């Protein structure tokens, strides 16, 4: 992938428009309850300021109705927090599309919720043309929205005088590219989740690339069925057993494999205080729920991680939120942390597991994206990335 980087440009006295992802959770009063995305945007803003730029930042927040701005849609709480993090005033600008405001080098302004602008979600070229007049350089630093073709993520990248990737997007693309486009072998992918149907296209795409495809959670139960093993009353999609068999066969034809659990942790009910019982995968009873992988399987997967060259992790292998069924994911996390492989992890549950087991510093790259991360794994073209690549060729 070839794209311009904000870090490589001369930004002296340039008007820089940064599309960030500041879509943070808020409570009923509008107070920010978790500011990771705001903090993640600060390096890109500081980079532009340090290079002498006048900086404009915008983002979506929530799901506003275009053309119908409401107080609940406002980025005012974000402007306040950003001011605190930057140590300087960040003005909030409303009704900014047609200009009428000034930003001096060294200043930062926050442009009100971009999804309130008519034409944003429809990727309006007319809207993008107006926004392009506001800046000399456009920087996309919102990888979490890269899978959406919207005016501030796609059309503006094509219309702005110069379009580049901010440091967050650049780091994400470099990590994902290294992991999937030119990986060090063996390449191991871990895909967890409740349903095969939601991850089928990802599993299918990875089956063409990986050396081992580790499945976890409810997905693993469907693969256990495909291997002819009992799963009791566990969550599974029996109608997709043929698809699971096809993926197993697809990998086998390449000399690759899907490691099937040899033991599991079961319970009679889905509850935090349920009694956990370790059983061989062949011994699951009709009234059992499989809620985690067993210690023998954990040891086998730890060996896989130790020998891997590249690890891509998306999803836990058990109900890690319940301590009685967290050992499998904890063991996997430890194995990934101790492996010398290049590791990249993404997805809300995966990030939560990484935090729970304290391995943040031991994972090579933790993706900030959800949908964009998954679509990249599927091999899909991300509109925002495609636009940056197109501009780099111009």
């Amino acid at each position: 992938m070839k794209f311009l980087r904000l870090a490589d440009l001369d930004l002296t006295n340039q008007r820089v428009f940064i599309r960030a992802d500041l879509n943070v959770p808020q409570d009923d009063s509008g107070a920010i309850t978790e500011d990771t995305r705001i903090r993640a945007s600060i390096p890109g803003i500081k980079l532009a300021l340090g290079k002498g730029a006048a900086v404009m930042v915008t983002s979506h927040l929530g799901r506003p109705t275009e053309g119908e701005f409401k107080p609940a849609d406002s980025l005012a709480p974000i402007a306040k927090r950003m001011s605190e993090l930057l140590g300087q005033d960040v003005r909030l600008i409303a009704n900014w599309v047609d200009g009428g405001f000034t930003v001096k080098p060294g200043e930062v302004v926050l442009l009100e919720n971009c999804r309130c602008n008519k034409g944003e979600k429809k990727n309006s070229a007319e809207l993008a043309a107006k926004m392009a007049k506001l800046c000399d350089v456009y920087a996309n630093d919102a990888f979490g929205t890269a899978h959406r073709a919207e005016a501030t993520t796609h059309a503006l990248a094509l219309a702005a005088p110069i379009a580049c990737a901010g440091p967050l997007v650049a780091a994400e693309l470099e990590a994902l590219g290294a992991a999937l486009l030119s990986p060090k072998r063996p390449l191991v992918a871990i895909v967890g989740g409740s349903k095969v149907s939601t991850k089928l296209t990802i599993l299918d795409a990875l089956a063409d690339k990986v050396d081992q495809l580790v499945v976890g959670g409810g997905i693993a139960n469907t693969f256990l069925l495909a291997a002819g093993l009992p799963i009791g009353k566990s969550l599974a999609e029996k109608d997709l057993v043929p698809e699971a068999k096809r993926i197993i066969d697809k990998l086998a034809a390449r000399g690759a494999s899907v490691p099937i659990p040899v033991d599991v942790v079961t319970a009679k009910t889905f509850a935090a205080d349920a009694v956990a019982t370790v059983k061989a995968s062949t011994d699951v009873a009709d009234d059992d729920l499989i809620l985690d992988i067993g210690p023998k399987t954990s040891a086998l997967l730890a060996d896989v991680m130790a020998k891997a060259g590249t690890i891509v992790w998306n999803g836990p292998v058990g109900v890690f939120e319940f301590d009685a069924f967290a050992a499998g994911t904890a063991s996997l996390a430890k194995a990934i942390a101790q492996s010398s492989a290049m590791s990249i992890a993404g997805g809300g549950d995966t990030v939560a597991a990484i935090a729970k087991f304290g391995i943040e510093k031991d994972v090579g790259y933790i993706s900030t994206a959800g949908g964009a991360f998954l679509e990249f794994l599927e091999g899909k073209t991300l509109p925002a990335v495609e636009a940056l690549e197109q501009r780099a060729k111009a």
Side-chain angles (χ1 to χ4, degrees):
M1 290 179 287
K2 291 185 178 180
F3 51 88
L4 296 178
R5 291 166 175 76
L6 186 67
D8 296 335
L9 301 178
D10 180 0
L11 304 178
T12 306
N13 296 323
Q14 297 291 287
R15 299 169 300 160
V16 175
F17 185 115
I18 298 176
R19 173 53 160 102
D21 182 1
L22 307 172
N23 188 30
V24 294
Q26 297 169 281
D27 62 20
D28 292 339
S29 71
I32 296 165
T33 57
E34 208 284 320
D35 69 350
T36 297
R37 287 176 174 168
I38 302 175
R39 286 185 283 109
S41 74
I42 297 301
I45 296 169
K46 285 187 172 180
L47 172 65
L49 289 173
K51 284 174 165 280
V55 182
M56 296 163 274
V57 185
T58 195
S59 172
H60 69 289
L61 178 67
R63 299 177 181 275
T65 301
E66 288 188 7
E68 298 179 17
F69 178 80
K70 298 183 293 294
D73 302 326
S74 179
L75 299 185
I78 286 90
K80 180 181 177 183
R81 181 63 181 135
M82 191 176 282
S83 297
E84 294 168 353
L85 291 167
L86 286 170
Q88 68 181 75
D89 183 52
V90 176
R91 288 184 289 133
L92 181 65
I93 309 292
N95 303 314
W96 51 271
V97 170
D98 292 314
F101 63 93
T102 58
V103 191
K104 297 176 182 178
E107 289 185 337
V108 182
V109 297
L110 186 59
L111 308 178
E112 197 50 283
N113 196 330
C114 60
R115 282 206 187 142
C116 291
N117 298 324
K118 284 187 176 181
E120 171 65 16
K121 294 195 76 172
K122 291 186 177 180
N123 198 26
S124 166
E126 182 180 355
L127 174 60
K130 290 182 178 180
M131 294 189 289
K133 293 178 181 178
L134 302 175
C135 65
D136 302 302
V137 175
Y138 163 81
N140 189 326
D141 213 22
F143 187 76
T145 65
H147 58 310
R148 298 191 181 102
E150 298 183 349
T152 56
T153 63
H154 184 263
L156 178 54
L158 298 177
I162 296 172
C164 65
L168 268 182
V169 167
E172 194 95 32
L173 292 176
E174 286 163 3
L176 285 167
L180 291 172
L181 303 179
S182 56
K184 182 180 177 182
R185 300 283 178 174
L187 169 59
V188 177
I190 304 148
V191 181
S194 59
K195 295 182 178 181
V196 171
S197 55
T198 60
K199 300 275 181 81
L200 182 60
T201 53
I202 297 167
L203 294 167
D204 204 26
L206 290 173
D208 290 323
K209 302 172 183 175
V210 304
D211 300 296
Q212 288 184 297
L213 178 59
V214 177
V215 290
I219 291 174
N221 296 336
T222 303
F223 278 78
L224 283 165
L225 282 178
L229 294 163
I231 65 165
K233 58 180 182 180
S234 306
L235 174 69
E237 293 174 287
K238 294 180 180 179
D239 59 322
L240 289 178
V241 167
E243 287 294 324
K245 287 181 177 178
R246 183 182 62 79
I247 288 171
I248 291 171
D249 292 342
K250 189 177 184 181
L251 281 148
R254 296 177 42 245
S257 65
V258 179
I260 302 297
V262 296
D263 61 346
V264 293
V265 182
T266 66
K268 300 303 182 184
T269 60
F270 185 84
D273 60 354
V275 177
T277 305
V278 177
K279 293 187 175 184
S281 298
T282 52
D283 297 339
V284 176
D286 290 345
D287 62 344
D288 278 338
L289 286 168
I290 299 172
L291 300 181
D292 196 11
I293 57 173
K296 290 182 180 178
T297 302
S298 292
L300 291 171
L301 293 183
D303 186 56
V304 170
M305 302 307 139
K307 295 175 180 176
T310 305
I311 301 169
V312 179
W313 182 17
N314 176 248
V317 292
V319 187
F320 76 98
E321 298 89 345
F322 297 163
D323 288 344
F325 309 102
T329 303
S331 173
L332 179 67
K334 181 180 178 182
I336 292 171
Q338 293 178 343
S339 175
S340 61
M342 160 63 184
S343 56
I344 179 166
D349 286 343
T350 312
V351 173
I354 288 169
K356 179 171 183 173
F357 303 120
I359 63 164
E360 294 96 334
K361 294 181 180 179
D362 300 309
V363 177
Y365 189 82
I366 300 173
S367 173
T368 58
F373 178 80
L374 294 177
E375 291 198 13
F376 195 100
L377 294 189
E378 287 181 51
K380 288 185 177 179
T381 298
L382 305 183
V385 177
E386 183 180 41
L388 294 180
E389 289 183 304
Q390 187 175 331
R391 291 304 307 277
K393 296 175 184 175

